[in-house]
Amino acid sequence: MSQYSRRKFLQQLGAGIILLPGVPRFVHAAVPRSDKKLGIALIGLGSYSTYELAPALLETRNCRLAGIVTGTPEKAAKWKERYKIPEKNIYNYQNFDAIADNDDIDAVYVVLPNSMHHEFTLRAAAAGKHVICEKPMAVSVTECTEMINACRKAGVRLLIGYRLHFDPYHQAAMKFRMSKEAGQLHTVDAAFAFRIGDPTQWRLKKSLAGGGPLMDLGIYCIQASRYSTGSEPLTATATIEEKTDPKKFAEVEETIRWQLEFPDSVTATSMCSYNKQANYLKLTSENGWLELQSAFSYGGISGRTNTGTLDFPHINQQALQLDGFSRCITDHLESDADGEEGRKDMKVIEAIYRSAATGMKESVK
Ligand code: NAD
């Protein structure tokens, strides 16, 4: 190790970052606490904010819930009391831009329906606030590019809510291909599906969701394929299954299946659906395999490899993600869950939809 790379290695170790060759860079939360607690405002107080992110923000060491943005005054009153949020840190969608003058809020977390991510990221960047944006980052590659450019121009960070980058089971999947015993990776198999309820919800409306389960669930399979292989897919071949409930799924696909070809003849086969049950990730290689069940859930993941059971302690994915992102912002650290990563997934999503429409193998560009 040269003196320079040794010094860099020691600095990274001190900062809690381990850069392994070929493994996505991420910041884990087992790190010394940053001096400053980043003030975060949640935009959109729906189920993910209410049941996952706000409770996680009570556990974080590097950030805190500083403000909220909501279109519902009753929610504002409840959250104000429950989380002791000062009135001056409560915004609605109309007066949101005034957040520019609020020093309590360093970053916003966009937790709105998918098609609103673009608008609120642009407005947050214009207000000089760092942005954490939920997945899918946006509903088109063009929107992703505009979001990346707006944040770059404003000098603020753009990070995407890829919570599984912070989960030890998925970190094991990221490293699997590098274990000497496993040998060359051959296949990735991933599926994520559940039966969706309320037929009136935004997830079933194209204008708000941008697409169906591919945007919402398939993106986890695409992510897993990309971080397990450590490379970008070259082509996509996809089919949309015939709808069993055409009324409910009038605007979006019900079930979609696809295959991605990666360099070195690695293939990834996936399915996602709003009307089936599936939740797994399987990797096979020359000499081994790795399998995760409940793979994409918030917890309760189980894992095995050809050499034994994976057994990691329970962690809070959202708290680790929020702390990790906060360190990235306060300490100017890189993250692999950034806007560029979100855009790469969107390129794959667009290629999958193109292939489903043309019936041809489409290149990912
Ligand atoms: P939700 O329906 O529970 O909440 C959406 C929020 O947006 C609500 O507060 C709603 O009032 C508000 N909203 C504002 N304008 C709206 C409009 N025109 N139509 C509908 N709602 C509107 O949704 P959610 O499950 O919290 O999802 C929000 C975002 O978070 C989505 O992008 C989703 O993909 C993402 N998400 C990510 C994860 C994860 O594990 N990373 C989990 C769940 C959701």
Side-chain angles (χ1 to χ4, degrees):
M1 202 181 261
S2 72
Q3 213 183 355
Y4 169 76
S5 48
R6 185 177 156 73
R7 195 172 65 232
K8 199 168 168 197
F9 177 75
L10 291 172
Q11 279 168 355
Q12 284 157 355
L13 205 62
I17 305 170
I18 312 292
L19 293 184
L20 293 170
V23 168
R25 283 156 294 183
F26 55 87
V27 180
H28 62 76
V31 290
R33 163 184 177 153
S34 197
D35 291 344
K36 181 177 182 285
K37 273 201 167 198
L38 199 80
I40 293 183
L42 292 174
I43 313 184
L45 307 180
S47 58
Y48 195 53
S49 285
T50 304
Y51 301 114
E52 305 302 331
L53 296 174
L57 279 160
L58 296 175
E59 286 186 32
T60 48
R61 299 181 305 164
N62 303 332
C63 55
R64 64 190 179 92
L65 180 58
I68 48 174
V69 183
T70 174
T72 317
E74 301 80 58
K75 281 189 196 168
K78 268 196 198 150
W79 280 62
K80 179 183 171 183
E81 194 182 316
R82 178 148 187 209
Y83 293 103
K84 309 281 173 272
I85 298 170
E87 187 65 37
K88 72 176 185 63
N89 293 359
I90 300 176
Y91 296 86
N92 58 42
Y93 302 123
Q94 286 71 41
N95 68 14
F96 166 68
D97 311 275
I99 208 165
D101 302 320
N102 192 327
D103 289 340
D104 281 355
I105 294 161
D106 303 293
V108 300
Y109 195 151
V110 182
V111 203
L112 291 163
N114 308 340
S115 69
M116 299 173 75
H117 295 181
H118 172 258
E119 176 192 335
F120 279 85
T121 297
L122 263 50
R123 288 171 69 179
K129 301 300 172 188
H130 300 287
V131 182
I132 305 171
C133 178
E134 257 317 313
K135 46 56 60 179
M137 174 180 169
V139 296
S140 69
V141 175
T142 305
E143 283 191 354
C144 293
T145 304
E146 288 171 3
M147 291 158 76
I148 292 168
N149 290 344
C151 289
R152 197 172 286 150
K153 194 170 155 213
V156 297
R157 300 295 297 273
L158 173 57
L159 299 155
I160 312 300
Y162 289 131
R163 59 186 164 79
L164 295 176
H165 283 232
F166 298 84
D167 186 281
Y169 288 92
H170 286 264
Q171 290 168 0
M174 291 171 191
K175 290 178 203 153
F176 175 73
R177 72 178 187 285
M178 283 172 303
S179 73
K180 263 199 201 124
E181 304 76 44
Q184 164 71 35
L185 188 70
H186 284 165
T187 64
V188 179
D189 237 299
F192 196 9
F194 65 77
R195 295 202 167 81
I196 202 160
D198 179 8
T200 65
Q201 64 186 285
W202 66 263
R203 281 183 168 80
L204 298 170
K205 296 193 169 82
K206 179 96 192 288
S207 61
L208 285 165
L214 182 60
M215 285 278 179
D216 191 25
L217 309 178
I219 192 167
Y220 288 95
C221 305
I222 294 166
Q223 266 280 298
S225 307
R226 292 183 47 248
Y227 56 63
S228 302
T229 59
S231 56
E232 297 306 318
L234 305 168
T235 65
T237 312
T239 339
I240 290 177
E241 260 186 24
E242 199 176 327
K243 294 174 187 180
T244 63
D245 189 343
K247 196 165 162 225
K248 190 169 186 175
F249 301 103
E251 296 187 28
V252 301
E253 75 277 3
E254 179 178 326
T255 299
I256 181 164
R257 298 174 186 279
W258 69 95
Q259 193 169 61
L260 303 175
E261 288 176 342
F262 286 84
D264 300 320
S265 305
V266 182
T267 54
T269 308
S270 298
M271 182 278 292
C272 68
S273 174
Y274 274 155
N275 210 5
K276 295 184 194 295
Q277 290 287 359
N279 191 345
Y280 62 79
L281 171 64
K282 295 175 189 174
L283 310 180
T284 68
S285 69
E286 213 173 335
N287 304 314
W289 51 267
L290 175 145
E291 182 179 310
L292 304 182
Q293 290 293 341
S294 299
F296 305 112
S297 302
Y298 302 146
I301 302 175
S302 60
R304 295 184 306 148
T305 72
N306 55 301
T307 57
T309 304
L310 295 172
D311 191 13
F312 296 110
H314 171 77
I315 50 100
N316 181 326
Q317 294 169 354
Q318 286 80 8
L320 288 183
Q321 180 208 289
L322 283 155
D323 268 338
F325 282 172
S326 299
R327 285 289 313 280
C328 283
I329 293 169
T330 52
D331 298 356
H332 310 287
L333 304 174
E334 278 188 61
S335 168
D336 260 12
D338 61 5
E340 204 51 63
E341 181 73 0
R343 176 162 64 176
K344 285 176 182 167
D345 281 344
M346 195 52 59
K347 283 184 180 173
V348 182
I349 287 177
E350 287 192 351
I352 291 172
Y353 277 136
R354 262 199 317 276
S355 170
T358 61
M360 310 282 284
K361 184 183 278 188
E362 295 285 337
S363 60
V364 179
K365 42 183 191 211

